[in-house]
Amino acid sequence: MAEQCSWCAASVGADDGFRVAEPESDHKAVFCRLEHVVPWVIHGASWDRGRIVTDGEPDDALGRCALCGDHLAERRVLVVRHRGRHRIADAFCRLEHLHDWARGGGRYKAAS
């Protein structure tokens, strides 16, 4: 079932796009492109209610922030890239680190 991008409202298929969540707050957002995370955060990160990880499915395997490397506490931001049948996950200690990571190109940024 398709969802709508939280920034541009484009249709995002179940096997495409990015899912972002604050698990402890039951907040989620969906993006058709990683670049849409940046203006979404800048304009106030309007969350929908819901989860990107189902009940009983582990969501704490990512123990460090993908940007700064700090250990993650219970409060964290999860990002899951849906690419066909594959799921590629990253986690952040705070929303601002997700913003900086996405602005820099995410895990696929160009080498400097």
Side-chain angles (χ1 to χ4, degrees):
M1 182 164 108
E3 298 179 88
Q4 285 190 320
C5 178
S6 296
W7 179 248
C8 74
S11 180
V12 181
D15 289 338
D16 194 23
F18 295 82
R19 295 346 186 243
V20 177
E22 288 182 327
E24 74 290 338
S25 300
D26 200 31
H27 289 158
K28 78 170 191 169
V30 176
F31 299 96
C32 59
R33 302 169 49 124
L34 181 62
E35 295 84 10
H36 288 179
V37 170
V38 175
W40 176 78
V41 172
I42 290 171
H43 285 97
S46 178
W47 295 96
D48 293 324
R49 302 234 3 112
R51 301 180 55 83
I52 64 172
V53 178
T54 59
D55 288 338
E57 187 177 6
D59 64 357
D60 59 354
L62 303 168
R64 293 187 175 273
C65 178
L67 185 70
C68 72
D70 282 352
H71 284 282
L72 297 174
E74 182 177 320
R75 187 167 183 96
R76 63 201 181 281
V77 179
L78 299 177
V79 178
V80 179
R81 165 102 192 259
H82 290 214
R83 188 169 188 185
R85 63 184 178 92
H86 303 286
R87 301 297 180 259
I88 306 160
D90 289 288
F92 302 89
C93 58
R94 56 184 172 273
L95 192 59
E96 293 78 17
H97 280 193
L98 166 61
H99 169 264
D100 294 343
W101 181 81
R103 194 177 82 204
R107 66 170 41 215
Y108 305 106
K109 68 182 176 185
S112 45

